[in-house]
Amino acid sequence: MTTPVYENFINGHFLKNQTGDTFAVKNPATDEVIYHVEIADEFIQNAAIESAKQGFAAWSAMTPIERSRILLKAVAILRERNDELAKVEVLDTGKPWQEAECVDVETGADVIEYFAGLAPAQVGQQQMVGNDFYYTRKEPLGICAGIGAWNYPLQIACWKSGPALAAGNAVIFKPSEETPLGAIKLAEIFIEAGVPAGVFNVVQGAAEVGQWLTANPNIEKVSFTGEVGTGKKVMASAAGSLKDVTMELGGKSPLLVFDDADVSQAVSAAMLGNFYTQGEVCTNCTRIYVHKNVYQQFIDELKTRTEQNIIAGDPMDPEVNLGALISKKHQELVLGYIDKGIQEGATLLTGGKALSPVSAPNGYFVEPTVFVDCKDDMTIVKEEIFGPVMSVLVFDDEDDVIQRANDTHLGLAAGVFTKDIQRAHRVIHQLQAGICWINSYGNSPAEMPVGGYKQSGIGRENGIETLDHYTQTKSIYVGMSNIESPF
Ligand code: NAD
């Protein structure tokens, strides 16, 4: 059976490359090639820049309310096609349908809707300075590049294009080479909604296409989602033409469970923050610090619920709540970390092996895995694994656990479970992380700014402030009296 071949999406339509080079995309749950994608060669790259220039001219000339109206049509189409798009995400990523059906498209659409609403409300300022005055305009940056990771492909494309387009920019988006289809679907929807051709372009390929975007002098900003190490390369390359950057990078986030917490709720948070999307979520609380008085209760309930309530299998089965990891290579990496945890002396509470479910025997599954009695200096406690692997540690002193939680170069997210309202805020204020939850974990509504402290990121996505990251301020001084000049 022949599989489809997708071309790059430039200037409102598919465009064939000249080299004929393609790459294959596999369904992680079956190990089968599901389609091929053409790589953006030099011809496509040049066409993308020309297309974005024209798109920018047309789009930035529209009023914010006109742009808003069109983006809201795209939001409506995204919602109408929820199931079709969710299926694309399941087949590309291996994540369970029961997640994609209610989260991936929905949270992407929410963010475009949010910024479409905000765009017409963005105003400059005006101030008298003597008889003269100045005013400011919020102008778009120009052509912005988006580079995405593979865990939430469509959501990432929406989170980057929403504020960029609302502010009047054109976008060239490069999805991860593991999951390239969602962004193409979004590009088609933008055209259908009435976004002018050239405003949202999709180029395909791996690191070299990303490198071209980060180095191209016609591009004003790069918004990147991916690993810390790649983020450093992207930023270094963007520095060559002093591009603006937003960096959404990795994490190794702590969850602190105090002895007055609702332990069952804390177990729910820990499981969501380690096993949702089979552990491939950047904000995951992969270091769980539990107070010694509730440690045994916590791990007993965690073991029971992990062993009884997790169903791995064909991700399209609505009963399945644990999908396949993105690739064979990533499965091996995660299993390698598990081996390292065992070698370094952590106690395996449950899981620890590859899985071969009856309904998806060739998929890249890993058992939900919990290590207990972990120590702060173990590799599994220090490095981002990006799979269903949880490390549980014990503590008995508040100041000490805060210091331990902060002892990392990462700072994406953090959480606290306690019923003591003062302790909740006191502790969370001291945790060095950009996205924090109290008695909750993982929710990220469009209204809430998200981004990392330390090496987990630069800038923010979502929330009001993000619109400012896609505009530049022009100050205009207006003389109302004669110029005084010594010349
Ligand atoms: P990755 O860094 O390997 O790749 C990300 C993207 O960068 C891909 O599109 C890839 O093709 C591209 N790329 C690779 N090398 C490049 C280069 N030199 N120049 C330009 N682009 C290049 O990351 P991944 O494996 O796709 O995603 C997993 C990582 O993403 C995890 O670390 C996770 O924590 C992080 N992540 C962060 C967030 C967040 O919002 N903070 C969200 C999702 C994922």
Side-chain angles (χ1 to χ4, degrees), residues 214-426:
T214 60
N216 191 288
N218 295 292
I219 292 170
E220 300 293 339
K221 177 186 171 97
V222 180
S223 177
F224 173 79
T225 298
E227 287 178 9
V228 174
T230 320
K232 290 179 186 175
K233 289 184 200 160
V234 166
M235 204 167 153
S237 170
S241 45
L242 279 179
K243 291 185 198 342
D244 224 330
V245 290
T246 295
M247 294 275 145
E248 295 290 342
L249 309 177
K252 192 72 196 175
S253 302
L255 176 70
L256 278 47
V257 181
F258 284 89
D259 57 356
D260 62 351
D262 180 326
V263 171
S264 292
Q265 286 287 300
V267 169
S268 296
M271 290 179 73
L272 272 171
N274 279 273
F275 304 144
Y276 204 72
T277 317
Q278 54 287 333
E280 296 166 330
V281 178
C282 53
T283 50
N284 271 357
C285 46
T286 46
R287 295 183 290 145
I288 312 271
Y289 293 91
V290 184
H291 192 278
K292 67 175 182 0
N293 294 346
V294 288
Y295 186 73
Q296 197 57 47
Q297 185 190 349
F298 181 91
I299 60 176
D300 286 348
E301 182 170 339
L302 177 62
K303 181 172 160 64
T304 307
R305 286 172 59 180
T306 302
E307 288 173 358
Q308 288 180 359
N309 299 347
I310 290 189
I311 305 167
D314 174 1
M316 283 305 293
D317 175 346
E319 295 299 313
V320 162
N321 58 19
L322 187 88
L325 297 186
I326 189 68
S327 63
K328 181 95 197 140
K329 191 171 148 215
H330 191 56
Q331 182 196 35
E332 282 163 6
L333 186 98
V334 171
L335 291 170
Y337 272 113
I338 292 172
D339 284 347
K340 202 143 207 171
I342 294 166
Q343 279 165 28
E344 291 181 6
T347 307
L348 194 56
L349 181 74
T350 186
K353 295 190 294 297
L355 253 178
S356 187
V358 180
S359 58
N362 300 321
Y364 319 128
F365 293 84
V366 170
E367 285 179 332
T369 299
V370 180
F371 282 108
V372 295
D373 306 330
C374 297
K375 301 280 174 284
D376 292 323
D377 61 353
M378 289 175 174
T379 307
I380 52 167
V381 178
K382 288 168 85 170
E383 295 181 14
E384 185 185 47
I385 301 173
F386 225 54
V389 184
M390 184 192 311
S391 297
V392 187
L393 305 97
V394 68
F395 78 92
D396 66 359
D397 177 73
E398 181 181 308
D399 289 337
D400 183 53
V401 76
I402 292 170
Q403 187 271 322
R404 289 168 67 195
N406 286 336
D407 187 17
T408 163
H409 65 288
L410 300 170
L412 190 59
V416 173
F417 268 77
T418 175
K419 286 189 184 141
D420 177 338
I421 187 169
Q422 287 171 337
R423 171 155 58 199
H425 295 285
R426 181 174 69 230

Side-chain angles (χ1 to χ4, degrees), residues 3 9 17 31 85 143 159 178 194 203 213-214 220 266 274 277 279 336 343 372 376 404 410 437 449 451 460 471:
T3 57
F9 196 92
N17 70 7
D31 190 41
L85 296 165
I143 305 175
W159 284 22
E178 310 272 9
V203 292
L213 281 171
T214 60
E220 300 293 339
N274 279 273
T277 317
Q343 279 165 28
V372 295
D376 292 323
R404 289 168 67 195
L410 300 170
W437 289 279
R460 292 292 176 270
T471 53

Side-chain angles (χ1 to χ4, degrees), residues 104-123:
D104 291 58
V105 190
E106 187 69 32
T107 55
D110 281 355
V111 166
I112 299 179
E113 188 168 32
Y114 175 76
F115 286 108
L118 274 183
Q122 218 189 12
V123 290

